[in-house]
Amino acid sequence: VESCGKLFQQKGKRASSNYGIGSDGRIALYVEEKNASWCSSSTANDSRAITIEVANCTGSEDGWRISDKAMQSLINLIADVCTRNGIKQLLWENNPALIGKVDRQNITLHRWFKDKDCPGAYIEANMNNIVKSVNEKLNPPLYRVQVGAFRKKENAIALVSKLKEIGIEAIIKEE
């Protein structure tokens, strides 16, 4: 992450991102989220997006593969960014025609704005899994537990009262 940060600091480089992730999984903040980065070659996109550069561990011959640690950090960072910015769900159709239509797709790729490999075939091929993993973090399943079954309604009412006293939501369902 340090080498990417140094690259962005070069005078006249005209390149940056909000975040960078190293192959070791470390995350760096280069440009605060409240500020636009110079990442996707599109001022309109960079002004509304939070951008992330991820270090690759192979070259173009292997689709710019990233490490498992970098992938896990990417998923965790995206989930954190979504949580802090009120984004309830990632939406992905891999369709550049949907840029700016966040009710259908709220992810963009650098290659949609400039003739580049970025983010690389490996990340793009794994985008559905990334989206699924982030959405599972944003919306974990809810498990309900049944506490008892009674023949006498007054016993059920008594248990519900005890549970509510200690802050546990409880209902009675008659079968």
Side-chain angles (χ1 to χ4, degrees):
V1 291
E2 289 84 4
S3 59
C4 189
K6 287 178 184 173
L7 179 73
F8 290 159
Q9 289 176 343
Q10 292 176 7
K11 188 172 182 161
K13 186 63 180 166
R14 297 172 59 163
S16 66
S17 65
N18 295 103
Y19 292 96
I21 300 174
S23 291
D24 59 2
R26 291 182 306 137
I27 300 170
L29 173 68
Y30 301 128
V31 177
E32 290 186 51
E33 289 180 20
K34 67 182 179 180
N35 298 319
S37 69
W38 192 312
C39 188
S40 69
S41 306
S42 165
T43 302
N45 186 66
D46 290 343
S47 295
R48 70 174 167 256
I50 295 171
T51 58
I52 304 169
E53 290 286 338
V54 184
N56 52 287
C57 57
T58 68
S60 61
E61 71 284 348
D62 200 25
W64 303 103
R65 185 176 175 80
I66 66 171
S67 71
D68 291 342
K69 286 182 181 180
M71 179 65 81
Q72 192 55 55
S73 289
L74 177 62
I75 291 166
N76 291 339
L77 176 59
I78 295 170
D80 178 64
V81 166
C82 288
T83 298
R84 288 184 287 102
N85 288 280
I87 299 167
K88 306 271 187 243
Q89 181 179 18
L90 281 185
L91 304 171
W92 173 248
E93 294 186 33
N94 195 14
N95 185 349
L98 297 177
I99 293 169
K101 297 176 181 171
V102 296
D103 59 323
R104 300 236 350 245
Q105 177 174 268
N106 52 12
I107 301 169
T108 59
L109 303 179
H110 187 177
R111 70 175 56 182
W112 293 349
F113 303 97
K114 185 135 180 149
D115 187 21
K116 298 238 176 212
D117 278 344
C118 189
Y122 180 78
I123 289 179
E124 190 170 5
N126 282 281
M127 193 62 79
N128 287 331
N129 184 53
I130 292 168
V131 168
K132 180 179 182 244
S133 297
V134 169
N135 285 337
E136 286 172 355
K137 288 181 175 290
L138 295 174
N139 303 294
L142 179 63
Y143 301 97
R144 296 196 182 271
V145 178
Q146 181 176 333
V147 178
F150 303 92
R151 296 263 178 227
K152 296 183 179 179
K153 187 172 185 175
E154 58 269 14
N155 292 342
I157 293 169
L159 179 57
V160 165
S161 295
K162 286 180 185 178
L163 292 170
K164 287 183 176 182
E165 284 175 17
I166 60 172
I168 298 174
E169 178 186 332
I171 60 169
I172 294 174
K173 183 178 175 183
E174 187 176 332
E175 295 180 6

